[in-house]
Amino acid sequence: SCLSKKSLKNLALATRWLGELTDPISGNTPNLGANDGAYLFPLANGDFRDARPVVAAASRTFLDKEPFDAGVWDEMGLWFNVEGSMLKEKQLSSLPTFQPSTCKPATGTWASLRLADGNLRLAHADQLHLDLWWHGENITLDPGTYLYNAESPWDNPLLATEFHNTVTVNGLDQMTRASRFMYLDWSQGQVIEQSDNQIVAEHDGYRKQGVTHRRTVRFVENTWLVEDKLQPSTLNPHTYRLHWLLPEGKWKVESNDQKITLHLQSPHSLLNITLHVSRFTNHSFSLARAGELLYGDAEVPPTRGWYSPTYGVKIPVLSLALEVTASDAVQFTTEFQFPT
């Protein structure tokens, strides 16, 4: 090979990272960061978002392994005449331990928690954003990019915290937006605890507001539980907004003085999403789609309730938000319950 050993090891780590974030049923991956649609070698039958051809070819080349059963995604490896790993067994065994912020407790379902330690130039303000997958379907969506250079309000708005599956404090981004493509005051994220069925992490993006956000994600039977703890360092009132971006489908809302439940018929399953909050008084709940309010009470910008799977494309989806104002600690609990 004309590549150095260091380059080969870095390519092996990049392959392992992409493979970990690839859904084995659909081949899709989380819609991470600035998605401008580059796919240099579309040498296989499959959807544009299907990463299995790349993962399969790269895994054979740099990891000496077959990540999937035989399928149409193997065509790319045939075009490139991939025969075996460029790294020797000893070099492969010396690769650094790899532990991304994913949780894969059972066959057919997994979660990916967005987390960066501040050493990257972050394109989106999306610390602790959560993607959930259930039997090949992306249940909680990353909004993507859509466009960079359109007229307002579509001049790259979807990078903001409010459009991701996380909590916004006082209506602010987790970092300071300096330009169309740049954030300053990068937030620091860290994993507190991680196992096969649970991950706990936090970030300090709201340190200037005196608030720390910690998220716990765990799987129990057929339910994903997400707990968001917002801990202020002062007794000043703060407004906390939990947001979820969901696939479009038939829906029904039920609420009482303790919880709100959204019954959603997504493309492949019937999903019940239940929201609790420790301070249920002085709260506001809303459901929106394609810039229009469907349920509740909220001002809905034209950019809310959209999903961009690839650059220049946007499709209507459901946007759920629960907002509460409090001067002490607040905890949101979201239950994603799937059929047995």
Side-chain angles (χ1 to χ4, degrees):
S1 170
C2 61
L3 297 173
S4 68
K5 290 182 180 179
K6 182 178 180 180
S7 295
L8 289 172
K9 285 187 175 181
N10 285 336
L11 287 166
L13 289 171
T15 300
R16 197 187 289 177
W17 175 83
L18 181 59
E20 181 70 17
L21 293 176
T22 299
D23 180 69
I25 298 174
S26 66
N28 285 355
T29 62
N31 207 11
L32 174 65
N35 177 5
D36 50 15
Y39 190 180
L40 297 180
F41 301 106
L43 300 176
N45 266 335
D47 185 75
F48 178 86
R49 289 286 306 279
D50 191 341
R52 285 173 294 184
V54 174
V55 173
S59 293
R60 294 191 199 101
T61 305
F62 304 114
L63 296 175
D64 198 25
K65 63 179 292 186
E66 298 286 344
F68 313 111
D69 293 335
V72 295
W73 40 83
D74 294 321
E75 184 179 0
M76 179 179 287
L78 296 174
W79 279 106
F80 283 120
N81 195 27
V82 173
E83 295 181 349
S85 175
M86 293 183 178
L87 286 171
K88 296 179 180 179
E89 184 176 349
K90 184 178 180 180
Q91 294 170 325
L92 287 170
S93 63
S94 67
L95 289 175
T97 302
F98 181 70
Q99 193 173 21
S101 303
T102 56
C103 186
K104 299 184 177 182
T107 301
T109 189
W110 62 286
S112 172
L113 189 64
R114 194 73 45 75
L115 199 67
D117 63 6
N119 294 322
L120 301 172
R121 178 174 171 173
L122 301 175
H124 286 204
D126 58 357
Q127 293 275 33
L128 299 190
H129 165 92
L130 183 68
D131 274 82
L132 289 180
W133 298 76
W134 181 264
H135 294 282
E137 184 179 2
N138 193 185
I139 296 297
T140 60
L141 304 164
D142 186 303
T145 298
Y146 182 48
L147 291 173
Y148 295 144
N149 301 311
E151 295 294 325
S152 180
W154 291 107
D155 49 345
N156 201 18
L158 299 182
L159 76 175
T161 305
E162 66 177 299
F163 300 112
H164 288 85
N165 299 323
T166 187
V167 177
T168 307
V169 178
N170 297 332
L172 300 173
D173 272 350
Q174 298 165 346
M175 300 176 289
T176 302
R177 191 172 184 182
S179 68
R180 184 174 294 170
F181 300 108
M182 182 180 293
Y183 274 109
L184 302 177
D185 300 325
W186 295 345
S187 59
Q188 287 279 133
Q190 62 174 329
V191 174
I192 306 300
E193 181 182 337
Q194 186 170 359
S195 64
D196 288 341
N197 65 348
Q198 177 174 283
I199 184 168
V200 183
E202 68 179 28
H203 77 91
D204 66 353
Y206 291 112
R207 58 192 179 278
K208 291 183 178 180
Q209 306 296 312
V211 176
T212 299
H213 177 198
R214 176 173 291 195
R215 170 166 278 186
T216 300
V217 180
R218 67 179 184 271
F219 186 73
V220 181
E221 295 180 348
N222 290 309
T223 302
W224 282 100
L225 298 174
V226 183
E227 296 176 351
D228 290 291
K229 295 182 179 179
L230 289 306
Q231 183 66 53
S233 59
T234 69
L235 292 179
N236 296 327
H238 297 285
T239 298
Y240 305 105
R241 176 182 179 270
L242 172 65
H243 177 257
W244 295 107
L245 196 65
L246 306 164
E248 189 168 32
K250 293 182 179 180
W251 59 271
K252 178 183 178 182
V253 174
E254 293 183 356
S255 64
N256 55 37
D257 58 359
Q258 294 182 332
K259 64 183 181 181
I260 299 169
T261 300
L262 173 69
H263 305 282
L264 175 61
Q265 181 65 60
S266 68
H268 298 103
S269 61
L270 176 62
L271 172 64
N272 296 321
I273 304 170
T274 301
L275 304 178
H276 310 258
V277 62
S278 56
R279 295 281 184 247
F280 210 73
T281 57
N282 197 23
H283 78 277
S284 172
F285 173 80
S286 61
L287 184 69
R289 173 191 180 274
E292 295 184 358
L293 183 67
L294 299 179
Y295 183 94
D297 181 20
E299 291 186 12
V300 177
T303 46
R304 181 180 166 188
W306 293 98
Y307 169 62
S308 176
T310 61
Y311 189 77
V313 175
K314 72 180 193 296
I315 59 177
V317 290
L318 297 177
S319 166
L320 179 156
L322 178 60
E323 188 174 289
V324 63
T325 300
S327 58
D328 53 359
V330 165
Q331 176 172 311
F332 295 100
T333 301
T334 310
E335 300 177 12
F336 296 86
Q337 186 176 25
F338 297 90
T340 56

